[in-house]
Amino acid sequence: MSLSKQYLNIHDHSRELSGLKYIYSVISRRAGGLSIGVNLNVNNACNWQCIYCEIPNLTRGTPPPIELELLEHELRSFLHEIIHGDYMEKNVSVEDRHLKDIAFSGNGEPTSAEEFPEVILIVKKLLEEFNLLHKIKVRLITNGSLMHKASVIKSVEMLKEMNGEVWFKVDAATEESIKTINQVNMKPYQILERLRNSINVCPTFIQTCIFTIDGKGPSEKDIDAYMQLVSEVKSNIQGVHLYGLARPSLQPQAKNLGRIAEEALEGIATKLRSLNIATTVSY
């Protein structure tokens, strides 16, 4: 595989640096070190089209059939270079040289892949092979939109047995703002139902991106609705990851977006903590 000419950093989550089709690595702010990404949506297709998304040429749709043998080969080779080779020394700064997780993320919604259950089994097999099972996390980073399907819920249940967890996207909690930010016609109660389905089968964090649109952050109405939704599950979630824009959007609305002020992000975090919800903030 090709090696980057400079250390990986939080500002560049390019999938191309690895030279592989399905496997890549990033420095994750929220994970706190090196994360191995599994990108099932190699055609840059997603069932959502969030306006802050960093994926180029993003289209609506689902991934093509997954080449399972190739994915297994790539992940095995990548793990070998990280565990037994010099990948860390050549690509990762000293303070980030900690393999934190294998994350289903990439260029679209991973649970929309028909082969998602088989891919989970491949990851489990290789974690066992490299003596990493239960030593690192396996994370599903998801918009949660398909968490009402039995096959997806069963797959997520498998993650729990692998020291897994779900990072479930909730960027907004009013119908209007969901449509504006995520560009889908979902109602808050549908997000809440799917969130509860996730919580019931696997440890689940809420992840929320906060930013400005035309210079304005979330309204009080939006913040109140968000707090209400989160409070519905506060006793059952693992916590909330709040984060701002670290990388530029590559969507048509990019010119309208801006970084939220740190004090505004901390203000939302304070409200969450007042509800006794563990909250982390990444600017």
Side-chain angles (χ1 to χ4, degrees), residues 170-172 206-212 216-220 222-228 230 240-244 260-281 283:
V170 181
D171 292 324
I206 290 172
Q207 59 165 5
T208 304
C209 188
I210 307 290
F211 51 92
T212 65
K216 298 179 181 178
S219 68
E220 285 301 315
D222 285 322
I223 293 173
D224 288 346
Y226 176 80
M227 292 298 163
Q228 179 59 42
V230 175
V240 173
H241 297 311
L242 289 179
Y243 61 105
I260 194 79
E262 290 185 12
E263 56 267 28
L265 203 53
E266 281 293 347
I268 297 173
T270 298
K271 288 177 179 287
L272 288 166
R273 290 168 183 146
S274 72
L275 296 173
N276 294 319
I277 297 171
T279 304
T280 61
V281 180
Y283 301 107

Side-chain angles (χ1 to χ4, degrees), residues 8 137 267:
L8 299 170
K137 287 288 184 181

Side-chain angles (χ1 to χ4, degrees), residues 104-141:
F104 292 96
S105 182
N107 294 11
E109 174 51 41
T111 63
S112 63
E114 184 177 338
E115 300 87 353
F116 183 57
E118 289 94 327
V119 177
I120 290 177
L121 291 176
I122 288 172
V123 170
K124 182 179 181 182
K125 171 185 174 181
L126 293 179
L127 286 175
E128 291 173 335
E129 188 175 307
F130 284 88
N131 195 29
L132 289 172
L133 189 63
H134 302 300
K135 293 182 180 179
I136 64 172
K137 287 288 184 181
V138 182
R139 292 186 166 110
L140 168 63
I141 301 174

Side-chain angles (χ1 to χ4, degrees), residues 144-178:
S145 60
L146 303 177
M147 209 69 77
H148 61 301
K149 293 191 172 184
S151 61
V152 174
I153 294 171
K154 185 172 180 60
S155 297
V156 173
E157 191 172 17
M158 291 164 57
L159 286 178
K160 183 179 180 181
E161 302 169 5
M162 300 162 55
N163 194 31
E165 61 189 33
V166 176
W167 289 4
F168 191 111
K169 179 195 298 289
V170 181
D171 292 324
T174 66
E175 197 169 342
E176 179 183 5
S177 292
I178 294 166

Side-chain angles (χ1 to χ4, degrees), residues 21-23 38 40 64-76 113-123 125-126:
K21 183 172 184 177
Y22 294 110
I23 305 300
V38 180
L40 303 181
I66 308 300
E67 299 174 61
L68 295 173
E69 290 185 5
L70 176 60
L71 188 151
E72 180 175 340
H73 171 73
E74 288 187 351
L75 182 54
R76 178 179 285 109
E114 184 177 338
E115 300 87 353
F116 183 57
E118 289 94 327
V119 177
I120 290 177
L121 291 176
I122 288 172
V123 170
K125 171 185 174 181
L126 293 179

